[in-house]
Amino acid sequence: MPPVLPMLAKSVAAIPAGMQYEAKWDGFRAIVFRDGDEVELGSRTGKPLTRYFPELVTAVRERLPERCVVDGEIVIAREGHLDFDALTERIHPADSRVRTLAERTPASLVVFDVLALGDASLMDAPLTERRERLTAELSGVRAPVHLAPATTDIEVARQWFEEYEGAGLDGVIAKPLTVPYRPDQRAMFKVKHERTADVVVAGYRLHKSGPVVGSLLLGLYDERGTLQHVGVSAAFTMKRRAELVEELEPLRLDDVSGHPWAAWSEEAAHETARLPGAPSRWSGRKDLSWVPLRPDRVAEVAYDHMENGQRFRHTARFRRWRPDRTPESCTYAQLEEPVRYDLAEILGA
């Protein structure tokens, strides 16, 4: 019975040998429960996602076993590529808006594990047995429900790691063959892409604990010469957070009016430019105010991939200052673009 928390993965630097390998999907993790006409889509935190994806509720009733619990990922594809922004648009309070988006940008469910079938719990069964049962049950399943491809060939996994990024996937998951299903435990491994970029540090937010840096606000110049907000870097020790305040003090601006992101507090401005600080249904009433800095300092950060070629999909990791680089040289042109790969090739659709 819901809620059940999904089994998790810990990051490793290289693909480990002797395991089952799957692509790492970039969507909303979901534990899916079906009992006849009753369907619930549980999120990674256990909260229901059901009302946001009505088209998947219908698909689950039509395409999954009558009584089952499966683990998978909710994704939306556009032009053969995963689109995470389209997913976030679904988390909307208005049912009419959700249903409009369900017709305009329908979601898919990629299933990669099974926790229960009929009266039988499979959570204590090894992965090999669960995969065999899942493959048998979903043989011939039709879109928008898909059986996630899997292999035990590490060379195939390495090929997937290189190729699938072009379809918007962000790495490979490795699962020990004998592992039972362990909710909320990091019993799997993930290998993600990592690249570096030189970015402009144009501001920071304070940490919730006090007057130290919580996150650095990062920017890149577009082809028009406009500094666009592309993400944050936030993983620092408390000592380093305090040091950063002192290091950045000479760049601090008392007046934001001369800053490239001066319009950050104007809601309409966020429609035409990428600026820090826009409250959203994710942030709610969270304080998103920030300290503007003169955009003169360049840092090298590590990132896994870009969302729609515009911003870092996840929090970037600070590597070092780059005093040898000018802010104007920090453009989108430096970013490596993965070779495009059609998502239909992965799902066999």
Side-chain angles (χ1 to χ4, degrees):
M1 295 294 291
V4 173
L5 298 180
M7 186 162 65
L8 304 176
K10 54 188 173 184
S11 295
V12 293
I15 300 175
M19 299 194 180
Q20 175 178 296
Y21 309 104
E22 302 167 14
K24 186 179 184 303
W25 300 89
D26 189 21
F28 288 169
R29 185 77 177 275
I31 303 292
V32 180
F33 304 81
R34 184 193 174 195
D35 186 357
D37 286 339
E38 292 184 71
V39 173
E40 181 159 326
L41 311 178
S43 72
R44 175 170 171 167
T45 62
K47 295 180 180 179
L49 292 167
T50 315
R51 68 174 297 270
Y52 304 118
F53 298 96
E55 76 278 31
L56 289 185
V57 172
T58 299
V60 165
R61 290 190 183 120
E62 295 174 349
R63 291 164 172 77
L64 286 187
E66 185 169 2
R67 295 183 63 219
C68 66
V69 182
V70 299
D71 188 0
E73 196 98 356
I74 298 172
V75 299
I76 290 179
R78 283 179 175 172
E79 300 178 352
H81 193 273
L82 294 183
D83 189 335
F84 191 81
D85 279 351
L87 271 179
T88 63
E89 291 174 4
R90 288 296 191 89
I91 312 302
H92 198 284
D95 184 67
S96 58
R97 176 62 174 167
V98 169
R99 294 191 176 275
T100 296
L101 291 173
E103 295 181 6
R104 184 183 304 166
T105 54
S108 297
L109 175 67
V110 182
V111 180
F112 41 69
D113 210 337
V114 58
L115 284 64
L117 285 171
D119 291 331
S121 169
L122 300 177
M123 293 177 68
D124 289 331
L127 173 65
T128 49
E129 179 181 337
R130 299 199 311 275
R131 179 69 190 188
E132 184 178 345
R133 295 288 298 274
L134 181 65
T135 301
E137 292 291 339
L138 296 191
S139 175
V141 73
R142 294 177 291 112
V145 178
H146 304 271
L147 174 64
T151 182
T152 55
D153 187 333
I154 193 171
E155 293 305 321
V156 173
R158 288 169 178 157
Q159 181 180 353
W160 288 355
F161 184 79
E162 297 299 328
E163 293 183 349
Y164 283 4
E165 186 186 13
L169 284 74
D170 62 355
V172 166
I173 293 289
K175 301 179 177 180
L177 299 174
T178 59
V179 68
Y181 196 93
R182 290 293 177 255
D184 206 31
Q185 294 183 20
R186 296 193 180 276
M188 308 180 294
F189 305 94
K190 58 185 177 184
V191 186
K192 300 177 67 174
H193 298 275
E194 179 175 285
R195 297 177 173 85
T196 61
D198 294 326
V199 295
V200 180
V201 177
Y204 65 84
R205 292 196 182 101
L206 291 172
H207 195 266
K208 59 183 179 181
S209 66
V212 295
V213 169
S215 59
L216 299 176
L217 304 183
L218 313 177
L220 287 173
Y221 284 97
D222 63 18
E223 66 281 356
R224 298 168 299 174
T226 301
L227 186 66
Q228 301 285 6
H229 175 53
V230 295
V232 302
S233 181
F236 303 104
T237 65
M238 290 304 295
K239 179 183 177 182
R240 184 63 182 137
R241 293 181 190 279
E243 292 172 347
L244 284 169
V245 172
E246 294 185 17
E247 288 180 34
L248 297 173
E249 182 60 28
L251 301 175
R252 183 167 178 163
L253 296 174
D254 294 327
D255 182 4
V256 75
S257 61
H259 194 280
W261 299 336
W264 74 275
S265 61
E266 300 172 17
E267 187 173 343
H270 291 268
E271 299 297 323
T272 57
R274 291 183 292 283
L275 307 171
S280 69
R281 53 186 170 273
W282 297 103
S283 59
R285 297 182 180 275
K286 181 180 178 181
D287 182 12
L288 295 177
S289 59
W290 56 286
V291 176
L293 300 175
R294 198 167 65 249
D296 292 347
R297 183 72 74 92
V298 174
E300 180 184 322
V301 298
Y303 68 98
D304 41 30
H305 70 278
M306 303 293 290
E307 181 64 32
N308 292 329
Q310 297 179 337
R311 65 179 184 275
F312 299 133
R313 169 70 179 83
H314 303 289
T315 301
R317 296 163 294 283
F318 183 89
R319 289 291 181 257
R320 56 177 176 148
W321 295 117
R322 288 296 305 268
D324 57 321
R325 291 292 301 268
T326 63
E328 295 75 20
S329 68
C330 299
T331 69
Y332 282 94
Q334 69 180 297
L335 304 180
E336 179 183 350
E337 289 293 329
V339 176
R340 296 287 292 186
Y341 196 95
D342 192 341
L343 189 65
E345 295 290 330
I346 303 171
L347 296 175

